[in-house]
Amino acid sequence: MTLRPVTGMNDILPDEVGRWHELEAVLRRELELAGYAEIRTPFLEPLELFVRSIGDTTDIVEKQMFSFQRGDETLALRPEGTAGVARAYVGHSLHAKEPTSRLYYLGPMFRAERPQRGRYRQFWQVGAEVYGDPGPGVDAEMIDMLVQILDALGIKQLEVCVNSLGSQGTRARYRDALFAYLEPKKALLSEHAQKRLADNPLRILDSKNPRDQEAIQGAPSILDLLEPDDQAHWEGLKRALAALGTPFVVSPELVRGLDYYTRTLFEIRSTEGELGSQNALLGGGRYDNMVSELGGPKVPAVGFAMGLERVLLAMREKPAEASARCFIAPLGERAMLESLRIARELRSAGITAISDTRGGSLKSLLRRADSLGARLCLVVGDTELDGGFVAVKDLAKKAQENVPRAELVTRVAAALAEPAPSPAGAS
């Protein structure tokens, strides 16, 4: 029986991973330019961490956790990154080391939900958090940075949606107002929304069920109920985004699926690529109470999370570039030993080198070099060894030169530095 991966947990094969490397390199570069430092947290955390931070009435905690009992511990695979970073921030007292901290993470997350295109049970996220800055300016800076990152990745047609959930007072008032509006319509709601009406009515705003979408039409807007401090923060966010020239859309229905958000909330969507109707690329917001709820001091925070599979679907495919690698074709046992030394020397000089030590005819080795996309094929046989040279075949130029062994690394580096000729007929 052929074993398959767990449903919704996918292999990333060598011919696919290049696009992942490109994406990750851009993300790391842009985040570090903005002063973020990488943090790596465990994949496995106490289940209580996510119940306390995300909320016990969220779909993530109720339905989507991979959790299990190990001895007297109840553990869970992380479904998102913010809670683990906040735990590390508190546990290592990072607040005592600097007034503000900028942290980012990149790695797999796990949710036991129905897999669909771009949304899997093991999925990859990049995210970042800023601790210690309560103002709307840092929120706007983060949103603008994300727009710039997506633009650098070639993703256009962006829609930046922003909302404010206010602080605890605002949220409590809005919960009451929303409940009063929806209670008379309870029979019109989906079964899931009817349950949410009692314990977490804001979740209904996030429902994709057509019945729920129709029922919330005309519901009160939380933006009409903001307390004075929340209103000032909201107006400051809009002014800062306008000053940066970042277009945005006010979206009062935006709540997202996590209970820890306060005040600023945002989501960036795109119609590029193959996203389909689920067109959100990333989202985030402010969570000013999480650090204190996890046992730390009162420290404000804002962050985002971006799904890498979603972004890869939106990125335009680029034509594969010819690999500037060397393939070493040894003919015989003596040549195989020399090919190992040549490969080590080339790699020490920063040149990708593959030596095929299985043996075979020159014809078969040349086919192998071509299939790997090698630019140069270095042929080593008894003739070359006795003559103190290596036959260097430039597969792009269809040319061959015998290069003295002592000059090989220098001459190979120079050959690879030259651009390959355009294919015949290319403009």
Side-chain angles (χ1 to χ4, degrees):
M1 180 182 69
T2 301
L3 293 175
R4 299 176 178 271
V6 176
T7 300
M9 298 187 178
N10 301 322
D11 301 312
I12 303 170
L13 300 179
D15 61 348
E16 304 169 311
V17 82
R19 298 185 73 231
W20 287 76
H21 287 168
E22 175 192 358
L23 171 57
E24 291 165 12
V26 171
L27 292 169
R28 290 183 187 278
R29 182 189 72 223
E30 296 298 323
L31 286 165
E32 290 172 9
L33 283 172
Y36 292 86
E38 185 178 6
I39 184 171
R40 300 187 182 188
T41 62
F43 294 179
L44 200 62
E45 296 273 12
L47 176 64
E48 182 186 3
L49 170 66
F50 303 113
V51 174
R52 289 174 60 182
S53 60
I54 297 173
D56 57 2
T57 62
T58 60
D59 285 349
I60 292 176
V61 170
E62 286 190 342
K63 301 178 180 180
Q64 299 171 0
M65 300 282 284
F66 284 103
S67 59
F68 60 94
Q69 194 75 24
R70 180 74 174 178
D72 59 355
E73 293 182 298
T74 304
L75 306 173
L77 289 171
R78 60 185 187 186
E80 57 96 56
T82 296
V85 175
R87 176 200 51 72
Y89 178 84
V90 172
H92 295 278
S93 300
L94 297 186
H95 57 86
K97 299 177 181 178
E98 51 187 349
T100 61
S101 298
R102 293 184 173 225
L103 306 172
Y104 81 89
Y105 59 86
L106 194 159
M109 309 295 162
F110 306 85
R111 295 186 190 178
E113 56 183 335
R114 182 175 63 85
Q116 51 187 302
R117 186 169 180 78
R119 295 183 185 275
Y120 305 109
R121 289 177 172 175
Q122 177 178 301
F123 58 99
W124 289 72
Q125 269 190 357
V126 65
E129 328 288 343
V130 178
Y131 294 97
D133 189 335
V138 71
D139 303 7
E141 181 192 56
M142 177 175 284
I143 294 169
D144 180 70
M145 175 190 69
L146 291 166
V147 172
Q148 303 307 314
I149 288 175
L150 294 173
D151 182 72
L153 293 168
I155 303 174
K156 311 297 181 182
Q157 301 180 34
L158 300 177
E159 182 181 54
V160 178
C161 301
V162 296
N163 189 26
S164 176
L165 292 180
S167 53
Q168 290 178 325
T170 292
R171 196 158 178 159
R173 290 168 59 203
Y174 184 60
R175 178 189 173 112
D176 292 343
L178 188 59
F179 180 86
Y181 180 81
L182 290 176
E183 175 64 20
K185 299 184 176 187
K186 183 174 181 179
L188 303 176
L189 298 171
S190 67
E191 182 179 349
H192 183 65
Q194 289 183 33
K195 178 185 176 184
R196 283 285 174 259
L197 183 61
D199 58 29
N200 197 345
L202 270 71
R203 290 273 67 78
I204 300 174
L205 300 177
D206 205 33
S207 172
K208 303 301 186 290
N209 190 300
R211 291 172 57 184
D212 302 335
Q213 287 295 306
E214 183 176 352
I216 63 175
Q217 294 300 313
S221 168
I222 193 170
L223 297 177
D224 294 331
L225 299 173
L226 294 177
E227 294 184 342
D229 286 350
D230 297 334
Q231 183 70 38
H233 192 280
W234 171 239
E235 296 300 330
L237 172 68
K238 293 188 291 182
R239 284 195 302 271
L241 287 172
L244 288 166
T246 306
F248 64 91
V249 176
V250 175
S251 304
E253 77 288 349
L254 180 64
V255 294
R256 296 187 59 78
L258 304 164
D259 281 353
Y260 53 62
Y261 286 122
T262 57
R263 291 187 171 170
T264 300
L265 198 65
F266 62 86
E267 189 170 272
I268 302 182
R269 305 162 183 166
S270 174
T271 57
E272 287 269 305
E274 305 174 19
L275 290 171
S277 59
Q278 299 290 327
N279 61 349
L281 294 172
L282 62 91
R286 182 162 284 280
Y287 50 99
D288 290 340
N289 301 316
M290 184 185 294
V291 172
S292 59
E293 289 173 355
L294 292 179
K298 182 71 174 174
V299 175
V302 61
F304 79 88
M306 173 192 295
L308 299 197
E309 289 90 350
R310 307 289 298 160
V311 173
L312 285 165
L313 286 175
M315 287 171 61
R316 297 186 183 276
E317 290 280 0
K318 293 184 177 179
E321 297 180 358
S323 176
R325 67 176 67 185
C326 289
F327 181 87
I328 306 168
L331 304 175
E333 184 177 353
R334 284 177 65 209
M336 184 271 288
L337 298 176
E338 180 66 5
S339 77
L340 295 176
R341 288 189 285 267
I342 291 172
R344 183 177 62 185
E345 291 173 19
L346 292 172
R347 292 168 190 156
S348 295
I351 298 169
T352 301
I354 298 173
S355 178
D356 194 328
T357 60
R358 299 172 303 162
S361 67
L362 177 58
K363 185 176 181 180
S364 67
L365 290 170
L366 287 172
R367 282 200 303 266
R368 174 70 171 155
D370 188 61
S371 70
L372 290 173
R375 169 72 185 274
L376 301 179
C377 181
L378 279 52
V379 180
V380 186
D382 288 340
T383 300
E384 287 77 15
L385 288 170
D386 293 339
F389 64 89
V390 174
V392 178
K393 292 179 177 289
D394 190 320
L395 302 181
K397 294 183 176 180
K398 301 188 185 308
Q400 177 175 326
E401 181 181 9
N402 292 335
V403 176
R405 177 67 176 84
E407 301 175 13
L408 183 63
V409 173
T410 302
R411 298 278 289 274
V412 164
L416 292 176
E418 296 179 5
S422 299
S427 56

